[in-house]
Amino acid sequence: MSVDTSVETLLNNLRQLAVDPSSSQAPQHPPGALIARLRAINRNSNTAANSKREATAEVRTAINATNLQLQNLMYEKRHLEREIDKCRQFAFIYQDIPIHGMEEFEACAPEEFHTADIMEDDHQLMLSRLRFELAERQRLQAKRDTLDNERKAIVADTESFQKETDGLAKPLEDLGNLMLDVQHRINKLVPSATASPSPAPEAMTPQPTKSEELKDEPMQDASTPAP
């Protein structure tokens, strides 16, 4: 029997006693026992209500805590989504740097830059390509610095040679002026040589020497007397 049925039965018995205490349909229990029982049922119902109320409060507290935790997770989710969108929209500097293409990267880069594990991961592949690009640019920069130092050394030597050549210009000019002055004085001392130069003498035929004549004459026989 439920509590509501027991309470209803007790209330009906009390009503009958209140209307006609000598009625045969009235319960045989004394009114004090019925009231005591009604009070016990009331206490039990209050105790049960308080217990249910406490249980409901505990469940409500747990639900509120869970709801608060869910709200925190949703807020953190939205925050992470916004951060992910910012990262995706962020203009990284490597996107504006011309780097080697994939074919050139695989052909020129060492083996450790494009292993199977790296080639399967797009992020690691991009990092490997950037590391290779950095190494290549450092190598080319070192070569450029070497060539630039060589160029500076050649320019310094050229400037030094130019200074020495410029230092010879004045002495050479003085020497040219001196030669012109000497030529002018020679022309004054020998005016005929400059006015009407004499014809060049004919080439003199060299006369044969005595020894050459003896060589050209036929040798006489020793037995033939000389004339």
Side-chain angles (χ1 to χ4, degrees):
M1 181 181 294
S2 64
V3 176
D4 295 339
T5 305
S6 299
V7 172
E8 187 67 26
T9 302
L10 290 174
L11 291 175
N12 291 330
N13 293 333
L14 290 173
R15 290 191 189 97
Q16 291 178 1
L17 288 173
V19 172
D20 188 5
S22 61
S23 175
S24 59
Q25 294 181 355
Q28 301 300 322
H29 300 288
L34 294 176
I35 293 174
R37 187 176 178 183
L38 183 61
R39 289 178 178 176
I41 292 174
N42 186 30
R43 285 194 300 269
N44 292 334
S45 63
N46 290 333
T47 302
N50 292 332
S51 177
K52 295 297 182 180
R53 190 178 296 110
E54 291 176 357
T56 303
E58 292 178 357
V59 172
R60 183 181 294 108
T61 302
I63 292 175
N64 292 334
T66 304
N67 189 23
L68 180 61
Q69 185 178 4
L70 177 61
Q71 291 178 0
N72 292 334
L73 292 176
M74 294 299 295
Y75 175 78
E76 185 176 358
K77 176 185 176 182
R78 289 192 297 268
H79 174 70
L80 293 176
E81 288 177 349
R82 287 194 299 268
E83 292 298 323
I84 291 173
D85 292 338
K86 289 180 181 179
C87 292
R88 289 176 176 175
Q89 297 174 3
F90 183 76
F92 294 97
I93 189 173
Y94 78 88
Q95 296 176 345
D96 300 330
I97 298 177
I99 61 177
H100 292 79
M102 280 299 302
E103 296 181 357
E104 189 176 3
F105 169 73
E106 294 178 358
C108 300
E111 183 65 26
E112 62 269 14
F113 284 90
H114 52 87
T115 60
D117 296 337
I118 293 177
M119 298 299 291
E120 293 176 356
D121 191 345
D122 294 338
H123 179 67
Q124 295 297 328
L125 177 60
M126 179 57 66
L127 293 178
S128 181
R129 292 178 64 186
L130 291 175
R131 285 194 294 268
F132 173 70
E133 188 69 26
L134 176 62
E136 283 294 295
R137 288 175 180 263
Q138 289 176 346
R139 181 182 64 82
L140 294 175
Q141 183 63 36
K143 185 176 181 180
R144 178 181 177 181
D145 293 340
T146 302
L147 295 176
D148 189 53
N149 293 332
E150 294 179 357
R151 181 186 64 81
K152 289 180 180 179
I154 294 174
V155 170
D157 294 340
T158 304
E159 291 178 353
S160 177
F161 179 77
Q162 184 65 35
K163 290 180 180 179
E164 294 178 357
T165 305
D166 294 341
L168 294 175
K170 182 63 177 176
L172 290 175
E173 184 180 357
D174 295 340
L175 180 59
N177 294 332
L178 180 60
M179 294 178 64
L180 290 175
D181 186 43
V182 171
Q183 182 68 31
H184 183 66
R185 293 184 179 183
I186 292 174
N187 292 337
K188 286 183 178 180
L189 293 175
V190 189
S192 60
T194 57
S196 58
S198 59
E202 295 181 358
M204 298 179 63
T205 303
Q207 299 295 329
T209 59
K210 189 66 175 178
S211 58
E212 291 177 350
E213 292 178 354
L214 293 176
K215 288 181 180 179
D216 294 336
E217 292 180 356
M219 295 183 64
Q220 298 180 353
D221 191 359
S223 58
T224 307

